[in-house]
Amino acid sequence: MSYENAAAAAEFIRSKYSGELKTAIVLGSGLGAFADELADAVRIPYEDIPGFARSTVEGHAGQLVLGEVGGVSVAVQQGRFHYYEGYDMQQVMLPVRTFGLLGIKNLILTNAAGSLNSDMLPGSLMLIADHLNCLGVNPLRGPNDTRFGPRFPDMTEVYDREFRHIALEEAAAIARERFENGLDDTLTDIINAGVYCALSGPTYETPAEIHMYRLLGADAVGMSTVPEAIAARHQGTRVLGISCITNLAAGLSCETINHEEVMETGARVAEVFKELLRRIIVRIG
Ligand code: HPA
């Protein structure tokens, strides 16, 4: 997957949608419903886009949806490509690189994640403050194409400080409004900031592994997001990351972990999650 692949994909998408795309959003497991909110939507199945792989995971629809949110044109990935599916990192990074070549300057990455932090319970959201790449590979390994970015990209602030500030403000406003409207009986935080640790999967972790990742500083674990965040920063795209906490990580409760539970929790937080995304998109527009 070369620069030319991303350029071909971008040209194809351009031929289907002429709006000035500002922000791209990648929707994680169980969080796909946001794509149904777009006005004047154009839907493109991944198999139609040159070079794009297919989504093989349940809960990932496998299409790009282009349209407007609050008057802002956005590209929404309803389903992403994961390393555990067997794709190489070039394929995992291709959509984000394509967004960059489409002139999109902002990227919102979302995912489902298991919590290692007792302040972050299932059904809450985690604002990604920073990440640990425990995938066992760096997605930029290999020859560097300087048309994407430099050989040694800086990773000091992967998740944009201003975007994080906006996300926290909007989450606080939503919490207050829900409380005032009687939708929530306590004024609790909707989102907490934390460190996301990316693992290759596809197994969930053992309790001993979770113990180790906790010692390393992880607040949540998941199987995505970090390759896309690295590809985006390589290109100079600004990144915001939000995890939906779908379960307590292995060994932190008496339960076992399964994909159905992950999907169900995603559906449970869908309303707040969609509202938060909508407000952030309008603010960063
Ligand atoms: N571990 C890894 N990935 C996940 C989890 C988890 O507990 N929950 C959702 N995605």
Side-chain angles (χ1 to χ4, degrees):
M1 292 290 143
S2 59
Y3 189 89
E4 284 68 32
N5 286 117
E11 191 184 326
F12 178 80
I13 293 164
R14 250 297 141 253
S15 74
K16 302 277 177 203
Y17 188 81
S18 57
E20 194 193 337
L21 294 162
K22 298 283 190 195
T23 295
I25 302 105
V26 181
L27 298 173
S29 292
L31 304 172
F34 179 75
D36 302 328
E37 306 272 300
L38 271 52
D40 300 324
V42 173
R43 295 184 168 77
I44 314 177
Y46 290 154
E47 61 249 40
D48 291 356
I49 306 175
F52 270 47
R54 279 151 208 239
S55 268
T56 67
V57 195
E58 196 198 326
H60 286 258
Q63 60 183 0
L64 186 66
V65 187
L66 308 152
E68 286 190 15
V69 177
V72 180
S73 286
V74 295
V76 179
Q77 246 189 282
Q78 206 173 22
R80 57 150 59 85
F81 307 120
H82 305 82
Y83 190 52
Y84 66 74
E85 291 174 88
Y87 300 125
D88 65 33
M89 284 298 187
Q90 301 299 318
Q91 287 171 303
V92 174
M93 291 189 293
L94 180 64
V96 166
R97 291 183 148 174
T98 302
F99 298 147
L101 297 193
L102 281 165
I104 297 175
K105 300 275 184 280
N106 311 323
L107 176 66
I108 304 176
L109 296 169
T110 73
N111 59 50
S115 173
L116 286 69
N117 181 330
S118 55
D119 290 336
M120 297 180 186
L121 297 178
S124 69
L125 301 176
M126 186 184 86
L127 179 66
I128 304 180
D130 202 349
H131 73 225
L132 292 165
N133 178 6
C134 294
L135 291 163
V137 62
N138 190 296
L140 297 181
R141 178 175 177 272
N144 185 56
D145 190 326
T146 53
R147 288 174 293 179
F148 285 126
R151 171 73 288 189
F152 301 111
D154 177 66
M155 291 284 134
T156 310
E157 190 184 306
V158 176
Y159 303 91
D160 190 274
R161 190 175 295 269
E162 189 191 344
F163 284 3
R164 279 187 275 144
H165 190 73
I166 289 170
L168 290 173
E169 274 183 6
E170 294 303 330
I174 292 170
R176 201 170 45 243
E177 284 167 29
R178 288 180 64 85
F179 180 61
E180 282 165 4
N181 295 332
L183 292 168
D184 287 327
D185 50 10
T186 51
L187 184 55
T188 46
D189 287 343
I190 283 173
I191 201 163
N192 290 291
V195 172
Y196 176 85
C197 177
L199 308 165
S200 75
T203 57
Y204 292 114
E205 303 70 34
T206 64
E209 286 164 347
I210 290 301
H211 185 69
M212 174 181 73
Y213 294 123
R214 191 144 68 151
L215 292 175
L216 292 178
D219 293 297
V221 285
M223 305 176 194
S224 67
T225 301
V226 164
E228 293 131 316
I230 291 174
R233 292 308 302 141
H234 187 219
Q235 279 178 302
T237 304
R238 296 173 78 184
V239 178
L240 177 72
I242 302 175
S243 295
C244 170
I245 301 296
T246 55
N247 57 281
L248 294 176
L252 301 184
S253 78
C254 303
E255 310 288 322
T256 57
I257 302 164
N258 62 74
H259 190 57
E260 287 66 40
E261 179 194 12
V262 168
M263 301 282 298
E264 275 165 25
T265 313
R268 185 149 62 84
V269 302
E271 282 313 310
V272 166
F273 180 76
K274 286 191 289 193
E275 176 65 8
L276 181 61
L277 279 184
R278 195 186 62 72
R279 289 176 183 234
I280 293 169
I281 288 164
V282 170
R283 284 273 304 267
I284 70 179

